[in-house]
């Protein structure tokens, strides 16, 4: 069964509070989402394999560590997932980025896929699916199924805020996928929004409401 990790680093929790506040405007919201994404990436990449190499410092020869070349792929779910990409790329600039376009039908709450473009070698990469919100879990579930259908073998899911309902869907459908959250919230409301949540992540990032 997949694990669920709530990343309780004080900086992540502090910034998340400001992301949640309704008076936080678009500019600040976007900056904070990027910052929290970077901090989460720092925690998620804790187990990346290292190898020893020998280098010359200006003083002497040293045996030191370097990343062992594990290939990483970021897969934001459009639109809102895009808001987390740049922060992560600052830490992992060599990561390739695939895109999955999905929107949630406001009536049925079912995801509708409208775009997909992935690195050609996804089967060799550790993929991190990125979306600020894991609500019913429909969007993340569909995105992960799409990736697996195209050959992905190693997938983590990274969201700012998750609802228990969405977490259960991913655990059941994708027991091989670990979930990383900044917060596990209480519930979904009757419109499928996370409570207490942060509202509509895409609209708040891009000022479309
Ligand atoms: O877990 P779910 O119930 O599927 O809900 C979560 C999805 O809803 C939001 O996207 P939205 O449909 O608003 O699209 P957008 O990012 O383009 O605004 C969010 O960014 C997730 O992708
Ligand atoms: O609370 C929610 C649920 C789905 N999508 C959002 O952007 N916010
Ligand atoms: Mg939206």
């Amino acid at each position: 069964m997949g694990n669920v990790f709530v990343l309780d680093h004080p900086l992540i929790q502090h910034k998340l509070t400001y992301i949640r506040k309704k008076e936080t405007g678009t500019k600040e919201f976007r900056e904070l989402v990027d910052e929290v994404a970077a901090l989460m990436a720092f925690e998620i990449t804790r187990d990346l394999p290292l190898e020893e190499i020998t280098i010359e410092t200006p003083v002497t020869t040293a045996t030191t560590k370097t990343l062992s070349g594990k290939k990483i792929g970021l897969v934001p779910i459009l639109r809102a997932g895009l808001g987390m990409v740049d922060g992560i790329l600052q830490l992992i600039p060599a990561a390739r980025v695939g895109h999955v376009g999905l929107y949630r039908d406001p009536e049925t709450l079912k995801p509708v896929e409208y775009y997909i473009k992935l690195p050609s070698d996804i089967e060799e990469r550790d993929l991190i699916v990125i979306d600020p919100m894991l609500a019913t879990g429909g969007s993340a579930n569909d995105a992960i199924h799409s990736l697996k259908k195209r050959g992905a073998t190693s997938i983590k899911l990274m969201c700012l805020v998750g609802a228990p309902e969405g977490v259960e869907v991913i655990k059941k459908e994708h027991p091989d996928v670990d979930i990383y959250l900044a917060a596990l919230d209480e519930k979904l409301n009757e419109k499928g929004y996370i409570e207490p949540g942060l509202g509509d992540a895409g609209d708040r990032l891009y000022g479309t409401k």
Side-chain angles (χ1 to χ4, degrees), residues 36-164:
V36 170
L39 292 167
M40 290 182 77
F42 189 76
E43 298 265 306
I44 290 178
T45 50
R46 195 174 271 290
D47 60 352
L48 279 181
L50 291 168
E51 63 188 14
E52 290 197 336
I53 59 166
T54 303
I55 59 160
E56 297 293 324
T57 76
V59 182
T60 185
T61 301
T63 302
T64 60
K65 296 188 171 83
T66 179
L67 289 171
S68 73
K70 189 84 187 132
K71 292 177 167 181
I72 295 179
L74 310 180
V75 185
I77 300 178
L78 309 182
R79 284 176 303 169
L82 282 178
M84 299 170 75
V85 170
D86 287 348
I88 303 172
L89 283 177
Q90 277 178 29
L91 290 189
I92 323 172
R96 299 295 162 93
V97 184
H99 295 84
V100 178
L102 286 174
Y103 70 87
R104 192 173 77 151
D105 183 291
E107 300 300 324
T108 65
L109 301 185
K110 298 279 178 249
V112 182
E113 187 173 308
Y114 58 87
Y115 184 77
I116 185 153
K117 179 76 182 175
L118 301 169
S120 57
D121 55 356
I122 56 162
E123 66 287 348
E124 294 169 25
R125 293 187 178 268
D126 284 346
L127 299 180
I128 307 176
V129 174
I130 302 163
D131 195 323
M133 310 309 281
L134 178 65
T136 66
S139 303
N141 180 29
D142 257 36
I144 294 169
H145 273 304
S146 271
L147 295 175
K148 287 183 173 174
K149 205 168 67 186
R150 289 167 174 81
T153 55
S154 166
I155 302 176
K156 292 175 174 172
L157 174 63
M158 171 175 164
C159 304
L160 291 186
V161 180

Side-chain angles (χ1 to χ4, degrees), residues 183-201:
L184 179 58
D185 274 11
E186 267 166 46
K187 60 174 179 162
L188 293 179
N189 69 15
E190 66 288 349
K191 289 189 179 140
Y193 276 81
I194 300 176
E195 282 193 7
L198 51 79
D200 190 302

Side-chain angles (χ1 to χ4, degrees), residues 8-51:
D8 58 1
H9 191 288
L11 289 175
I12 294 177
Q13 295 305 314
H14 175 81
K15 289 174 191 289
L16 181 61
T17 296
Y18 287 85
I19 289 173
R20 288 185 190 275
K21 284 176 98 160
K22 68 175 180 191
E23 58 268 37
T24 298
T26 299
K27 175 175 182 284
E28 199 186 348
F29 187 91
R30 220 168 19 225
E31 289 167 358
L32 286 163
V33 168
D34 239 358
E35 288 169 18
V36 170
L39 292 167
M40 290 182 77
F42 189 76
E43 298 265 306
I44 290 178
T45 50
R46 195 174 271 290
D47 60 352
L48 279 181
L50 291 168
E51 63 188 14

